[in-house]
Amino acid sequence: MNSFVGVSRRLVIKIGSSLLTNDGRGLDQQAIQGWVAQIAALRRLGKEVVLVSSGAVAAGMQRLGLAERPKALHLLQAAAAVGQMGLAQVWESCFSQHGIRTAQILLTHEDLSARKRYLNARSTVTTLLTWGVVPIINENDTVATDEIRVGDNDTLGALVTNLIDADGLVILTDQPGLFTADPRRDPAATLVGEARAGDPALEAMAGGAGSMLGRGGMITKITAAKRAARSGAHTVIASGREPRILERLAAGEAIGTQLTAQTPTLTARKQWLADHLQVRGEITLDSGAVRALRQDGKSLLPIGVIAVSGEFERGELVRCLDQEGREVARGLINYGAAETSKILKTPSEGIEAVLGYVDDEELIHRDNLVTLG
Ligand code: GLU
């Protein structure tokens, strides 16, 4: 088995907090210099690289002399604001030694879920790549509240992978990869060399627990691989402390755990829909509408909807359920919850009589809908 990194043209590389801050001792400039030199080597091989860098909170904690990760949101956000300065500084100065420009991009979940902002984020990152700049992405921790946050940078790495249609996601962490059980507790645990991204057996192996510094654990990495696989990208989870790790992966060496994508690639728009993390409501369809969506590839019309729940507005994401409550599809709805409940079971010609206006004949247009299962 060869690492996919060798044949990837566009890569997202995520580096975790415990690596970047040498387990909380402050930003590890020497280690960062090492990864930067390797990324410069990857670029000489013609690869495009986007970095997802954690470490804002951890660096902020160290700069502020906080021994423990703060719990209160405002303290976390303030620590991230301090730490992000240091992070950007270190990356920029290390890359400039190789004549490479960097750009800082701070995202929230909203930037990746609102269609318009998603398109903006995508074109900004791809423009930077065309210019030969290395985009360095983190969550905008300083403003991200629960409703708009991605939550951990493994997930952010996967969303960025989907956003720019990268071929692969490299997650560098302080572990050699995924083990069959927790190696700290089970001496018989062995490293998983390769598996299918999204294989349910992986979740059982990954357990819970993240570190004190970052937010992810093995489980968020497994889920990230599954998400990355939706746009056809493979993932490798490997130790960032392994010498010349990125260059060796790029030479095809199999190191760490490779999680291979097998799912067929969804078109970018549908993929974006399937990745939308925050569903705002649910609508229940009659069996005719379920068939129209599933078998005939049609749009969803109000006449096929029998119930509505949740608070949502025009343009937001809703889940479409069958009468047994199983999710059939999800999509961007053309009418808000209040309007939808007025026009359900209504033929499209009747929308105007009920609402006094017609925005669209479809409740969810086919192009904004992805069927599941
Ligand atoms: N965005 C967070 C930070 O930079 C890290 C989140 C994570 O560790 O997954 O501190």
Side-chain angles (χ1 to χ4, degrees):
M1 175 197 79
N2 278 345
S3 167
F4 66 85
V5 176
V7 293
S8 299
R9 204 183 59 83
R10 181 175 281 183
L11 290 165
V12 175
I13 299 176
K14 183 260 171 176
I15 308 186
S17 298
S18 48
L19 284 179
L20 287 166
T21 62
N22 196 7
D23 287 326
R25 284 186 280 273
L27 288 170
D28 186 344
Q29 183 129 3
Q30 212 182 337
I32 293 175
Q33 250 156 7
W35 294 310
V36 167
Q38 295 181 57
I39 292 170
L42 261 50
R43 300 223 330 170
R44 286 193 294 275
L45 295 171
K47 299 188 191 301
E48 293 176 332
V49 174
V50 172
L51 253 179
V52 173
S53 171
S54 304
V57 174
M61 279 163 60
Q62 196 271 339
R63 287 193 162 192
L64 295 164
L66 309 175
E68 274 187 26
R69 190 183 166 90
K71 296 215 171 39
L73 186 64
H74 65 285
L75 297 179
L76 267 176
Q77 295 189 316
V82 173
Q84 187 62 37
M85 294 292 280
L87 258 190
Q89 247 166 17
V90 174
W91 284 121
E92 166 72 17
S93 74
C94 290
F95 272 108
S96 71
Q97 288 165 20
H98 296 267
I100 298 174
R101 290 259 160 269
T102 57
Q104 170 176 274
I105 304 182
L106 301 177
L107 296 172
T108 62
H109 178 264
E110 272 188 336
D111 300 318
L112 298 164
S113 58
R115 176 87 192 145
K116 213 167 142 197
R117 290 211 214 169
Y118 163 88
L119 292 176
N120 287 346
R122 180 184 163 97
S123 54
T124 304
V125 177
T126 49
T127 303
L128 290 167
L129 290 174
T130 334
W131 286 347
V133 174
V134 173
I136 300 179
I137 301 180
N138 196 0
E139 178 141 34
N140 195 351
D141 294 307
T142 300
V143 299
T145 50
D146 276 351
E147 306 82 63
I148 60 166
R149 76 185 312 175
V150 175
D152 69 84
N153 276 8
D154 297 321
T155 308
L156 182 64
L159 291 173
V160 171
T161 302
N162 295 153
L163 177 76
I164 58 165
D165 294 316
D167 308 301
L169 170 63
V170 179
I171 300 183
L172 294 186
T173 180
D174 55 0
Q175 303 292 314
L178 173 69
F179 285 83
T180 49
D182 186 344
R184 288 166 300 191
R185 278 182 229 133
D186 184 349
T190 53
L191 183 78
V192 178
E194 189 180 11
R196 183 175 58 82
D199 183 341
L202 299 174
E203 283 169 33
M205 297 176 191
S211 74
M212 236 188 65
L213 297 167
R215 298 185 58 96
M218 233 357 122
I219 194 79
T220 57
K221 296 177 178 47
I222 304 298
T223 316
K226 182 173 169 185
R227 191 180 292 284
R230 289 216 189 119
S231 55
H234 308 300
T235 297
V236 60
I237 305 168
S239 167
R241 298 208 171 105
E242 189 74 33
R244 298 180 51 250
I245 177 71
L246 294 171
E247 287 172 275
R248 286 162 59 201
L249 286 170
E253 204 177 314
I255 313 172
T257 301
Q258 176 160 316
L259 299 172
T260 309
Q262 275 157 6
T263 35
T265 309
L266 298 175
T267 63
R269 190 176 173 84
K270 301 241 158 168
Q271 167 204 315
W272 165 74
L273 274 175
D275 272 331
H276 221 100
L277 296 179
Q278 288 164 345
V279 177
R280 300 291 184 193
E282 288 175 343
I283 54 180
T284 306
L285 316 188
D286 66 19
S287 54
V290 170
R291 216 172 22 249
L293 258 50
R294 275 236 170 96
Q295 288 162 22
D296 310 332
K298 296 254 174 66
S299 293
L300 178 66
L301 303 177
I303 192 158
V305 177
I306 53 182
V308 182
S309 72
E311 295 286 318
F312 52 86
E313 286 173 23
R314 174 176 157 84
E316 291 195 311
L317 186 77
V318 297
R319 231 192 294 264
C320 305
L321 309 176
D322 67 12
Q323 287 176 71
E324 279 76 49
R326 288 177 300 233
E327 185 169 348
V328 177
R330 52 178 68 182
L332 301 183
I333 194 155
N334 288 333
Y335 292 88
E339 295 164 305
T340 305
S341 52
K342 287 188 197 142
I343 58 173
L344 49 81
K345 300 185 198 156
T346 306
S348 298
E349 314 81 79
I351 298 179
E352 187 163 11
V354 179
L355 296 180
Y357 54 87
V358 187
D359 278 338
D360 295 274
E361 287 185 358
E362 309 84 14
L363 196 54
I364 304 181
H365 192 275
R366 186 70 216 167
D367 289 348
N368 294 327
L369 186 101
V370 58
T371 48
L372 307 160

